[in-house]
Amino acid sequence: MSRPPNTESVFRALGHPIRRRVVELLARGERTAGELMDAGDIQRPTLSEHLRTLCATGVIAYRRRGNRLVYDLNRTGLSQAGDWIARALRSK
C-alpha cells in the first residue's frame, strides 16, 4: 500500500502545506478522505493528489474499512526524519 520511507522522500512530501496539514490531522488519529476534507477544508481533487504522494513516499498508509479507505500516519517514516533533524541539531 505504501513503500518503505526514506528521509529524503519524507522531507519532499512534507514540503507542501496541504500535505503537512494532512499529517497534522492524521497525528490525531486515522481518518477517511471525507473526514480529512471536512477537517482540513481541502477539495477532493487536491486531497486525492496529496494522499497519493504521501502514500507513495511512505509518510502515510491506508487500509480498507468496508468500502472506504482509512488513512493513518506511518510513524516510521516520520521518525526517520525526526532522527535526522535531531542528529543535525546535535552536530552544532
Side-chain angles (χ1 to χ4, degrees), residues 57-82:
T57 58
V59 174
I60 67 173
Y62 64 89
R63 64 178 173 80
R64 285 211 171 269
R65 184 173 65 196
N67 64 348
R68 295 177 189 252
L69 297 178
V70 180
Y71 296 90
D72 200 4
L73 289 180
N74 179 353
R75 295 177 191 283
T76 302
L78 293 175
S79 293
Q80 288 178 353

Side-chain angles (χ1 to χ4, degrees), residues 7-48:
T7 304
E8 184 178 337
S9 67
V10 171
F11 282 121
R12 194 175 310 121
L14 296 175
H16 195 285
I18 291 176
R19 293 193 288 263
R20 288 192 303 270
R21 178 69 178 137
V22 168
V23 168
E24 289 169 353
L25 291 168
L26 292 176
R28 299 178 192 152
E30 62 183 24
R31 296 175 187 244
T32 65
E35 291 166 337
L36 289 167
M37 284 187 321
D38 293 343
D41 194 29
I42 306 167
Q43 299 298 315
R44 182 174 299 277
T46 300
L47 179 62
S48 294

